[in-house]
């Protein structure tokens, strides 16, 4: 928000020259837009590192210097929106759009490599990356490493076979808020450089571990728990309205459906931390649509229809509202094969 700097769920529609956003009431989009962002003369920053606990941000600065911070559900969704918005901004420059597509598809993280695994290795006291005191323009920065040192470390530990691949991996670590730039040189690169040049393979560019990385490593059990549940490929994601288990009130949550392992997680879009507030394994679950004529037993409060129910193998009942019958059918169709 511009006046009160809180975070609110909005439904976005990208047009050729503008980005419209709508309020959601009870999981449904209002008919008239709440506002619009004119794209002519806009600049886009992705990843945006201005909020440490929100690694999935896009920043749009209009030509009148108004800043918009937009948070997505996942890295895949963020990158897709950034690419499409950039394409709309540069609609008259097809070469730039082609270059963005080429860069997006030029490197894929190896399936057997996890960014979490790399961070764990980086923190190892014996074989991890060495944190040292570095100076830049008279400023002292404790517990930092240089861009070139990280590239060297990734190659020597067989996470990459070339400096290009290592730079791409290092960029991913920074995008996912495991590392962050320190000092003027590396910070300016993230703000003003092209997408392919935001991480610097340089002995004068300084980086350090982000706070989210330190928190992640504070509990080994918690780390393993998160990796096992959140490592699956994202099958579907979006905003739905969920009934609470205790107070039986309805709240908008962003849901992320993953496969291998099959889990459904939900996030509170108003929270600073980009962590699930709940989730469950889909193995052994039952999912079904609920009829709109009458309110089923166990459902209370403001029910606008398009309900479906998931029952876990431990007999926990989840009641969820979609914004339309078509959306409800899509979610049920996506969940069923994973149960």
């Amino acid at each position: 928000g511009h006046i009160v700097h809180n975070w609110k769920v909005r439904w976005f529609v990208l047009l050729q020259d503008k980005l419209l956003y709508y309020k959601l009431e009870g999981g449904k989009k209002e008919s008239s837009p709440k506002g619009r962002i004119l794209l002519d003369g806009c600049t886009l920053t992705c990843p945006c590192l201005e909020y440490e606990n929100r690694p999935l941000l896009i920043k749009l600065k209009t030509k009148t210097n108004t800043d918009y911070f937009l948070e997505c559900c996942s890295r895949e969704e963020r990158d897709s929106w950034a690419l499409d918005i950039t394409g709309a901004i540069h609609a008259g420059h097809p070469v730039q759009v082609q270059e963005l597509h080429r860069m997006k598809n030029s490197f894929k993280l190896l399936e057997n490599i996890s960014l979490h695994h790399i961070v764990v290795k980086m923190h190892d006291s014996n074989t991890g990356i060495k944190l040292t005191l570095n100076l830049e323009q008279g400023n002292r920065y404790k517990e930092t490493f240089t861009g070139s040192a990280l590239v060297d470390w990734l190659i020597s530990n067989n996470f990459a076979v070339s400096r290009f691949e290592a730079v791409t991996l290092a960029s991913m670590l920074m995008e996912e808020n495991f590392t962050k730039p320190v000092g003027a040189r590396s910070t300016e690169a993230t703000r003003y450089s092209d997408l392919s040049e935001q991480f610097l393979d340089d002995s004068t560019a300084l980086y350090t571990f982000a706070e989210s990385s330190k928190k992640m490593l504070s509990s080994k059990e918690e780390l393993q728990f998160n990796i096992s549940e959140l490592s699956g490929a994202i099958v579907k994601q979006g905003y739905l309205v969920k009934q609470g288990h205790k107070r039986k009130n309805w709240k908008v949550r962003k849901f992320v459906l993953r496969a291998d392992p099959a889990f459904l997680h939900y996030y509170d879009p108003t929270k600073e931390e980009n962590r699930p507030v709940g989730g469950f394994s889909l193995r052994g679950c039952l999912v079904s649509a609920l009829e709109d004529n009458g309110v089923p037993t166990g459902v209370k409060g403001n029910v606008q229809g398009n309900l479906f129910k998931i029952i876990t193998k431990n007999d926990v009942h989840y009641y969820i509202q979609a914004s339309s019958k078509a959306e409800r059918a899509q979610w049920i169709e996506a969940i069923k094969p994973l149960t």
Side-chain angles (χ1 to χ4, degrees), residues 79-91:
D79 292 348
S80 177
W81 272 100
L83 189 71
D84 291 338
I85 294 171
T86 303
I89 293 172
H90 299 298

Side-chain angles (χ1 to χ4, degrees), residues 144-202:
T144 57
F145 47 85
T146 67
S148 58
L150 178 53
V151 170
D152 292 340
W153 184 88
L154 289 168
I155 293 173
S156 65
N157 284 270
N158 299 316
F159 290 116
V161 296
S162 67
R163 299 196 80 79
F164 170 76
E165 286 190 6
V167 167
T168 306
L169 265 179
S171 300
M172 290 179 176
L173 290 169
M174 190 167 63
E175 287 179 30
E176 296 302 315
N177 203 34
F178 291 121
T179 63
K180 65 180 181 180
V182 175
R185 186 142 198 275
S186 57
T187 302
E188 286 175 7
T190 63
R191 293 175 178 170
Y192 304 117
S193 298
D194 294 334
L195 291 174
S196 60
E197 299 174 350
Q198 290 187 340
F199 179 87
L200 300 177
D201 179 7
D202 193 289

Side-chain angles (χ1 to χ4, degrees), residues 60 71 201 223 272:
L60 270 178
E71 183 182 32
D201 179 7
L223 173 66
E272 285 293 327

Side-chain angles (χ1 to χ4, degrees), residues 75-147:
R75 178 184 166 182
E76 291 87 349
E77 184 177 77
R78 179 199 64 190
D79 292 348
S80 177
W81 272 100
L83 189 71
D84 291 338
I85 294 171
T86 303
I89 293 172
H90 299 298
H93 307 280
V95 174
Q96 292 185 32
V97 179
Q98 290 174 10
E99 175 66 11
L100 283 167
H101 277 285
R102 185 195 67 77
M103 285 162 42
K104 182 179 180 183
N105 298 318
S106 62
F107 177 75
K108 301 290 186 183
L109 185 64
L110 295 176
E111 290 183 4
N112 61 338
I113 294 181
S114 158
L115 292 181
H116 293 84
H117 176 63
I118 294 175
V119 175
V120 171
K121 291 291 187 183
M122 288 175 68
H123 277 277
D124 189 280
S125 57
N126 296 318
T127 61
I129 193 161
K130 303 303 180 186
L131 300 177
T132 60
L133 172 67
N134 285 284
L135 302 176
E136 185 191 56
Q137 297 178 354
N139 295 316
R140 295 161 58 89
Y141 297 100
K142 296 180 179 179
E143 296 191 330
T144 57
F145 47 85
T146 67

